[in-house]
Amino acid sequence: MPQDTSNPHTSGNVTIPVIDFSLFTSNPEECSRLVGEASQNIGFFYLKNHGLPQDLIDKMFDTSEGFFQRPFDAKSKHMIGRDNTGYSPMKSETLDPETQTQGDLKEAYNARTWSIDSDITLYFAQDDKELQARIGEFFKGLHDLARNVMQCFAIALQVPETAGGRHYFDRSHQWDAKSGTTLRFLHYPQQTGDPNTPLAGSHTDYGSITLLMQKDIAGLEVQASRIHKNVPWVAAPVIPNTILVNIADHLQMWTNGLLKSTKHRVMYNPQQLHHSRYSIACFIHANDSTKLDPIPTPLITQEMRAEGVEFEEGRNMTAGEYLDWRLAQTYKFDQKAGGTM
């Protein structure tokens, strides 16, 4: 694992840049240029100096490990259903249903903005209400960071002031609004594995952006071949004190493909023979009622629509409808899987 976070991670001619997010305060235009450049290229970038306390991140990883090390009966009270909260066991999710022969080799626990104060999150916190509050603090901190990143997109996309300027995305990404925004704790158990078989299938994310924290063991790979044909996949290593950001489907549709929702997957790492892999993802979604039509910017033309052709079906949906559609492809909910989105 690289320790020098001042340099980007490179494979061949492909670079996943590391952006100093303190620039957002000191030089927002330059910060936005770097975010926009990375997003048009590979669709992934690391943030250092992101403002989220490392001790809080560490506490969340400790909480995750404590939960997932429990026996199945002690972590399965709230099984995941159509409301996309609670526990999903090994092989219950298939992120690449067209090519996978088995479900993903991971387990996860989801919290939503509306479930932070509920028994769903208290159960994950093992009935510790103070810890439940820390999880809520963590989730809200990630959402605030994401809104700042979304301001960078608005600046980079030159959204006119008459349409909202740098704050264009603020009204469509509100903490208290109904949305698909999800905090997900992931565990890839200690196991033997085939280096050619994904632990989590190739997929894009279903929202606006995703913030990912990794710990100790790498495994994430990014499909660079959409832009760099000679480098099909590039590793996204664990870089201490950074958060990895990736573009998701909303931004690809909103920008007619100018920004890339890049496929990614998790592959077996030999370290998992003796150790579990943990990660935490915060999937940021627009408010459920938000349309996925192209946004006002001089950088997007109708001729660019072909760049996002794989998302054409989603263009006629709202953000909430799109999430329902994608989750239905990912999970096989039975008739007893309660709740609606």
Side-chain angles (χ1 to χ4, degrees):
M1 293 181 289
Q3 298 299 313
D4 181 6
T5 64
S6 63
N7 295 319
H9 178 71
T10 304
S11 176
N13 64 340
V14 179
T15 297
I16 301 178
V18 179
I19 298 173
D20 184 348
F21 204 62
S22 66
L23 284 171
F24 178 72
T25 300
S26 62
N27 191 343
E29 288 75 20
E30 175 61 10
C31 187
S32 300
R33 185 190 68 80
L34 294 171
V35 167
E37 186 177 87
S39 302
Q40 291 183 52
N41 186 3
I42 195 170
F44 276 72
F45 52 91
Y46 294 91
L47 294 180
K48 66 177 182 178
N49 297 321
H50 46 71
L52 206 66
Q54 188 59 47
D55 62 345
L56 182 57
I57 296 173
D58 292 341
K59 181 64 175 178
M60 294 301 102
F61 274 112
D62 290 343
T63 301
S64 181
E65 183 173 357
F67 178 82
F68 287 119
Q69 290 305 316
R70 302 169 79 183
F72 179 81
D73 288 347
K75 57 189 174 184
S76 56
K77 175 182 176 182
H78 295 286
M79 296 296 289
I80 198 163
R82 289 186 175 88
D83 63 359
N84 199 32
T85 62
Y87 175 69
S88 54
M90 291 277 286
K91 300 184 181 180
S92 62
E93 183 179 21
T94 306
L95 285 171
D96 187 7
E98 293 186 3
T99 61
Q100 282 181 255
T101 58
Q102 65 177 2
D104 294 347
L105 298 176
K106 68 176 189 295
E107 56 181 347
Y109 201 92
N110 289 7
R112 300 276 293 275
T113 55
W114 58 263
S115 75
I116 281 296
D117 296 325
S118 76
D119 184 62
I120 295 170
T121 304
L122 182 61
Y123 181 70
F124 181 76
Q126 301 187 49
D127 295 324
D128 184 334
K129 290 189 175 181
E130 182 177 343
L131 180 55
Q132 180 184 24
R134 296 298 305 278
I135 295 171
E137 174 190 350
F138 175 65
F139 196 175
K140 182 62 164 59
L142 287 168
H143 192 269
D144 290 344
L145 173 61
R147 279 166 58 95
N148 288 341
V149 174
M150 295 300 290
Q151 285 190 32
C152 289
F153 289 125
I155 294 171
L157 291 166
Q158 302 174 28
V159 175
E161 288 297 325
T162 54
R166 67 182 289 172
H167 297 289
Y168 174 81
F169 292 110
D170 287 3
R171 64 180 181 268
S172 60
H173 292 79
Q174 298 169 324
W175 173 256
D176 294 327
K178 186 179 180 183
S179 79
T181 295
T182 302
L183 179 63
R184 176 166 242 211
F185 298 87
L186 296 125
H187 173 224
Y188 297 81
Q190 178 180 333
Q191 58 191 287
T192 58
D194 177 359
N196 298 313
T197 300
L199 303 184
S202 172
H203 65 285
T204 60
D205 291 341
Y206 312 155
S208 301
I209 60 173
T210 301
L211 309 180
L212 180 72
M213 288 134 286
Q214 305 181 89
K215 182 182 178 183
D216 298 335
I217 298 177
L220 181 66
E221 294 184 347
V222 177
Q223 187 183 52
S225 60
R226 297 181 64 186
I227 303 299
H228 306 275
K229 301 302 182 184
N230 60 329
V231 185
W233 293 93
V234 59
V238 178
I239 301 182
N241 304 312
T242 66
I243 293 177
L244 184 61
V245 180
N246 66 274
I247 307 305
D249 294 353
H250 291 177
L251 274 170
Q252 171 119 356
M253 287 183 277
W254 282 330
T255 63
N256 271 352
L258 179 65
L259 304 185
K260 309 298 182 186
S261 182
T262 305
K263 284 188 175 182
H264 47 285
R265 65 187 183 183
V266 176
M267 300 299 288
Y268 175 73
N269 186 309
Q271 289 179 281
Q272 281 184 255
L273 183 61
H274 303 290
H275 303 281
S276 289
R277 178 182 185 270
Y278 293 91
S279 63
I280 304 172
C282 187
F283 301 99
I284 302 297
H285 289 246
N287 306 345
D288 279 357
S289 60
T290 304
K291 296 288 188 180
L292 299 178
D293 300 325
I295 65 173
T297 164
L299 303 184
I300 298 171
T301 65
Q302 285 302 312
E303 289 74 17
M304 293 163 58
R305 181 173 287 270
E307 289 290 328
V309 67
E310 65 264 44
F311 299 113
E312 192 66 32
E313 188 168 0
R315 290 184 188 277
N316 298 318
M317 301 180 187
T318 63
E321 291 167 344
Y322 182 74
L323 177 60
D324 287 349
W325 177 59
R326 290 298 302 266
L327 288 176
Q329 297 173 328
T330 302
Y331 291 101
K332 301 299 182 185
F333 295 124
D334 62 27
Q335 297 300 313
K336 296 181 180 179
T340 57
M341 294 300 297

